[in-house]
Amino acid sequence: TLHTAAASATATHLVQFFAEWNVQLDEGCVGGYCHPAASVLVFVDGKRCGGEPSAIELSDHREIAIVIGHPPSAVPASSDFTNA
């Protein structure tokens, strides 16, 4: 679960979050895990995201799953934020 807050209504993208950690994020790599040695899949709201994961916009209650290796049988499409 990730919470972002900004002084203005500027869009924030997943690449900015990873840049804070100085971790590579692109279509082929997450950190040191890269194709073809490692399977890297990205899901947004339970659906596989094809394309550049760095461009994914962070927004309220968006479920983003980065799966390295064999994906689980079900990827969450949402989370319960009632107590967040």
Side-chain angles (χ1 to χ4, degrees):
T1 302
L2 169 68
H3 173 75
T4 62
S8 65
T10 304
T12 306
H13 295 87
L14 191 58
V15 70
Q16 293 167 276
F17 178 73
F18 277 81
E20 286 295 317
W21 292 347
N22 196 29
V23 173
Q24 178 181 358
L25 175 67
D26 58 39
E27 196 170 351
C29 295
V30 176
Y33 298 97
C34 298
H35 290 293
S39 170
V40 178
L41 301 173
V42 180
F43 297 83
V44 177
D45 297 328
K47 296 179 181 149
R48 184 156 176 215
C49 174
E52 191 60 53
S54 61
I56 296 170
E57 188 173 332
L58 302 179
S59 61
D60 286 346
H61 302 166
R62 175 165 272 176
E63 183 77 25
I64 301 170
I66 298 174
V67 178
I68 299 170
H70 186 72
S73 58
V75 175
S78 64
S79 294
D80 180 4
F81 291 95
T82 56
N83 294 319

